[in-house]
Amino acid sequence: MGNVVALASMLEGRQVWRGRAAPAPSGNQPTGWPVLDAALPSGGWPEASLTEILLPADGVGELQLLLPTLARCTRAGRAVVVVAPPYMPYAPGWEARGVVMSHVDIVSADPRDALWAAEQCLRSGSCAAVLAWPAQADDRALRRLQVAADTGKALAFVFRDRRHAAHASPAALRLELETQPSLQVRVRKCRGGNAPSRPVPLSASWS
Amino acid sequence: MLWACVLLPHLALDGVLRRRPSTDAPLVLVSGSAQARTLFAVNTPARAAGLYRGQRLTAAQALLSQFEAVEYDPAATEHWHRLLAAWAYRYSSDVVLFPHAIVLEVSKSLGLFGPWPRFESQLREDLTALGFRHRIALAPGAQAAYVLAGIHDGLAVMTPDALQRALAPIALRYARLPDGAGTSLPAMGIRTLGQLLRLPRDGLQRRFGAPLLVYLDRLTGAGPELMEAYRPPDTFDLRMEWTHEIEHVEALMFPLRRLIGDLATYLAGRDGGVQRFVLELEHRSTAPTRVVVGLLAAEREAALLFECARGRLERQQLPQPVVAMRLLARELPPFVPAGRDLFDTRPTNAMPLDQLRERLRARLGEQSIHRLRSTIDPRPEYAQTTADNTRLPEVTETLPRPTWLLDRPIPLHGPSPIILAGPERLETGWWDGGDLRRDYYVVRTSQGQCAWVFCAPGEPGRWMLHGWFA
């Protein structure tokens, strides 16, 4: 106890680490859902990486989750590619949510070629976002997509069935959509932070 | 005026050699009647073995047991000559065909392609890539450049005075004099062009006639040069055949790369692009296989064209081995280079979107990639189209529409859903036979999905699923 050092000066000199969480970085890729942005460590979609979205069934609101992002990209004139969707995208519905359909390319391919096409699109560097529905994607295929997204600096979105939740995934972000009691998103994994323990409710409606 | 002469001393042989992978095997071109076959041209390994041009084929066979003999084809040589003229057309609008040579006027091109040394190295680089050996000379006159290219490779003479000095020591037999004069003048003690030019003109006129004087005037630049300028053709048609049969598509890639490279060369010279071309694979007994390569926009870059053609070709089943391949391009629209933003934020190695779409189409099929547009038709089945040329609707207020549409409606099974909105009556389409009369509802299924369903008017309960509000 020889010399007394003022705490303020130590803090000033950055000699003491304060166990306070770093302020949440404001993401460059907001999801369009403020509640979800706040819950994710990157403040939005992880940039240039793969996001895996797990669904209990088709048509539960997976597009609602993405359409604000797609609208933002296409309005900025960036291309969005939809690779082998399970149904036909319905232009009036997409346009009603602000998506510019002339920047959306729809690729029809059989399941074997769909992964190849998605990887090509991601790697090209000219697409802002790529949506894919890989039916029999294994860990290797998803890792390839992750690397391609990193190479081409694009957002990759992969939609899979909920039963794949138990398997490990190389995706930077894994979201699970739940419909009970209402539409909500459970963050299964997120790179760069702890996944929030509670599901994030989405105030989505059908209109 | 400055004329560059590209002399092609081995035009016929290079035209044959460039179509096959480079090997060290001896190869000769043979011409002449069946009784007196002589060698027309020999490649370097064959020459090292002692074969030479003009040798009898039987003598060559005595010297060397194993060599490949290809029939000399004057038409093919003529074809390569024209192809190179098309290449030269890229650099100058005045291109003249000389025997075994191409002469192009370059004084106006120097401003664009840099000073002569840089321009010359550019020409040499192109010719080497195309696979033609060459000699290049520059002179103020076309005929003078032609003569100088035969004497000294890389000679550049810019002024008439320097031309006089350069021509003076040339031996007459290399001066390409009109017939007769080149052989009889040395017998008179006149051995160089300098001596010939100093002779009195009227004496020359009496002894050799007017053609020699006209020729000398053209050579020195004193008289006008009348030449027929080369005009590029409007279609591209190139055929390549080989002596063996090719059974696998992979083996077609090398000749394909050459064909596409020639097409790109031709297109760059014309400042044009190609949007559609046909590859004809010829077989021995059946009709040729036609592979149509269509592009979304006019392109002319060799690598892109090759990749598109390869994608189409790889999916092709060959009914028989291929003996020849032909590339035909009839429509050559003007080429508009894609604009790129100076402040482009994309990665530096980014592939342009159009190129990406071409690559996907090449592998997945012509119709595999499309965009959707809304139409003015209220019927869900016709409310969007993949066509590009439809009229855009004015913004109309409709009830909410789903984001997924099923190709054809299917019955909705499971427990009865909860109705969220509806009905919305659609009763239309009477004008083209696609008459429909439906009540649309938005329902929530037991799994929590929002569905767009319809039923016949007044019969709720028998739901047909038509879309998802995903």
Side-chain angles (χ1 to χ4, degrees):
Chain A
M1 297 300 286
N3 48 357
V4 177
V5 180
L7 187 60
S9 72
M10 291 186 78
L11 288 177
E12 198 96 329
R14 290 171 177 267
Q15 287 170 307
V16 173
W17 177 70
R18 305 173 82 180
R20 189 181 59 189
S26 60
N28 289 329
Q29 299 285 354
T31 60
W33 298 92
V35 201
L36 186 58
D37 283 347
L40 294 175
S42 52
W45 303 118
E47 274 187 72
S49 42
L50 178 69
T51 299
E52 188 180 350
I53 298 169
L54 301 163
L55 307 169
D58 282 332
V60 291
E62 66 271 23
L63 288 180
Q64 300 259 8
L65 185 64
L66 288 192
L67 282 173
T69 311
L70 303 188
R72 176 169 58 82
C73 292
T74 52
R75 280 182 178 172
R78 305 287 314 275
V80 169
V81 182
V82 182
V83 181
Y87 307 100
M88 180 63 83
Y90 194 45
W94 287 48
E95 279 168 352
R97 287 158 182 83
V99 180
V100 183
M101 287 308 278
S102 60
H103 289 298
V104 179
D105 279 302
I106 295 143
V107 178
S108 36
D110 58 27
R112 203 164 40 86
D113 285 332
L115 275 171
W116 173 83
E119 190 189 338
Q120 291 294 321
C121 295
L122 285 169
R123 201 179 284 284
S124 75
S126 52
C127 306
V130 176
L131 279 60
W133 283 259
Q136 285 109 25
D138 55 358
D139 184 60
R140 257 179 70 125
L142 291 181
R143 199 173 297 279
R144 283 188 73 107
L145 292 184
Q146 164 68 41
V147 171
D150 188 41
T151 311
K153 303 283 172 251
L155 296 176
F157 296 102
V158 171
F159 299 91
R160 303 177 80 195
D161 192 85
R162 190 170 55 183
R163 61 193 158 85
H164 295 290
H167 307 150
S169 163
L173 176 66
R174 293 186 96 186
L175 302 177
E176 183 176 347
L177 278 182
E178 293 174 352
T179 53
Q180 302 298 336
S182 66
L183 185 62
Q184 56 187 17
V185 175
R186 192 179 286 278
V187 182
R188 287 278 176 199
K189 167 192 174 184
C190 55
R191 193 181 285 171
N194 293 328
S197 51
R198 295 165 166 277
V200 181
L202 294 185
S203 58
S205 65
W206 53 270
S207 58
Chain B
M1 300 275 268
L2 275 178
W3 295 82
C5 176
V6 179
L7 189 70
L8 304 155
H10 308 287
L11 183 59
L13 186 60
D14 287 343
V16 173
L17 285 179
R18 70 192 295 271
R19 288 197 282 187
R20 45 187 79 208
S22 62
T23 58
D24 287 336
L27 185 145
V28 299
L29 295 189
V30 186
S31 67
S33 63
Q35 287 79 27
R37 307 281 282 164
T38 53
L39 305 193
F40 184 80
V42 295
N43 72 347
T44 319
R47 187 176 306 117
L51 273 56
Y52 57 89
R53 184 195 159 128
Q55 198 176 26
R56 295 290 289 265
L57 182 59
T58 46
Q61 278 160 342
L63 277 173
L64 193 61
S65 57
Q66 285 285 330
F67 64 87
E68 193 172 349
V70 179
E71 180 71 32
Y72 164 63
D73 183 2
T77 310
E78 170 69 18
H79 169 83
W80 297 122
H81 202 183
R82 296 216 151 254
L83 176 84
L84 286 172
W87 157 79
Y89 199 72
R90 186 195 322 183
Y91 294 105
S92 169
S93 56
D94 290 330
V95 176
V96 185
L97 296 175
F98 276 61
H100 292 101
I102 291 159
V103 182
L104 56 155
E105 207 283 316
V106 294
S107 65
K108 300 185 201 73
S109 317
L110 287 178
L112 186 58
F113 297 104
W116 171 246
R118 196 193 310 161
F119 188 13
E120 184 190 2
S121 60
Q122 167 94 45
L123 294 177
R124 288 184 190 277
E125 208 173 284
D126 281 9
L127 284 166
T128 309
L130 286 170
F132 287 99
R133 284 170 279 174
H134 52 274
R135 302 162 71 101
I136 296 182
L138 182 75
Q143 190 68 45
Y146 182 44
V147 170
L148 289 179
I151 299 297
H152 184 56
D153 188 20
L155 193 65
V157 178
M158 299 283 188
T159 61
D161 290 344
L163 178 64
Q164 293 282 357
R165 285 197 298 278
L167 287 177
I170 292 176
L172 285 184
R173 65 198 151 103
Y174 297 123
R176 305 180 193 277
L177 293 181
D179 37 20
T183 49
S184 49
L185 275 166
M188 302 170 191
I190 313 289
R191 298 191 188 284
T192 65
L193 263 179
Q195 291 172 321
L196 177 61
L197 289 170
R198 277 197 300 275
L199 289 180
R201 291 172 64 89
D202 52 349
L204 280 179
Q205 165 112 35
R206 269 201 304 279
R207 199 174 288 269
F208 294 103
L212 179 64
L213 282 183
V214 172
Y215 177 80
L216 289 178
D217 285 347
R218 285 179 59 191
L219 197 60
T220 54
E225 292 189 280
L226 296 177
M227 294 172 291
E228 195 180 340
Y230 166 78
R231 307 258 314 157
D234 286 334
T235 60
F236 183 85
D237 182 356
L238 188 56
R239 188 168 171 277
M240 200 182 257
E241 67 178 278
W242 38 89
T243 48
H244 54 289
E245 296 187 338
I246 292 184
E247 294 182 15
H248 300 290
V249 171
E250 298 81 53
L252 290 172
M253 290 308 146
F254 179 81
L256 177 68
R257 194 186 289 275
R258 276 288 190 201
L259 280 177
I260 300 265
D262 289 351
L263 173 65
T265 303
Y266 170 77
L267 290 174
R270 265 183 65 106
D271 194 20
V274 66
Q275 191 153 10
R276 197 181 134 84
F277 57 91
V278 182
L279 288 171
E280 276 188 7
L281 310 175
E282 296 175 19
H283 310 293
R284 208 165 281 288
S285 57
T286 55
T289 310
R290 287 169 61 89
V291 181
V292 180
V293 182
L295 305 165
L296 290 169
E299 298 287 352
R300 72 162 178 227
E301 199 193 327
L304 172 64
L305 293 175
F306 174 68
E307 198 183 340
C308 290
R310 184 175 66 176
R312 305 286 200 290
L313 208 55
E314 272 173 351
R315 290 185 298 149
Q316 195 69 40
Q317 294 290 328
L318 295 178
Q320 272 194 6
V322 182
V323 294
M325 179 154 63
R326 181 177 180 197
L327 197 160
L328 221 100
R330 294 207 184 282
E331 299 142 41
L332 303 171
F335 175 70
V336 183
R340 280 206 64 176
D341 198 341
L342 179 61
F343 303 104
D344 203 337
T345 53
R346 297 182 305 150
T348 47
N349 56 351
M351 175 194 278
L353 184 63
D354 292 332
Q355 203 172 331
L356 170 70
R357 300 180 77 205
E358 296 293 359
R359 175 182 283 188
L360 294 178
R361 269 162 47 95
R363 166 140 169 196
L364 305 176
E366 304 284 327
Q367 304 301 322
S368 67
I369 182 157
H370 54 270
R371 291 173 174 164
L372 292 172
R373 293 160 65 100
S374 303
T375 63
I376 50 175
D377 201 311
R379 289 170 292 175
E381 283 88 345
Y382 304 99
Q384 62 180 5
T385 174
T386 57
D388 278 339
N389 49 1
T390 49
R391 195 155 55 91
L392 273 183
E394 294 90 54
V395 179
T396 49
E397 283 293 320
T398 58
L399 290 168
R401 288 285 179 260
T403 46
W404 284 141
L405 190 75
L406 273 63
D407 282 337
R408 59 186 56 190
I410 55 167
L412 180 68
H413 298 296
S416 62
I418 308 156
I419 295 176
L420 298 175
E424 177 191 359
R425 170 78 50 98
L426 285 184
E427 183 169 0
T428 182
W430 47 266
W431 58 85
D432 62 358
D435 199 355
L436 60 85
R437 214 165 105 83
R438 295 166 182 170
D439 280 351
Y440 275 90
Y441 290 83
V442 181
V443 299
R444 184 186 296 281
T445 66
S446 56
Q447 282 186 296
Q449 301 145 298
C450 283
W452 201 42
V453 298
F454 67 83
C455 61
E459 292 177 30
R462 296 180 52 204
W463 303 116
M464 294 293 282
L465 176 65
H466 205 180
W468 296 112
F469 286 87

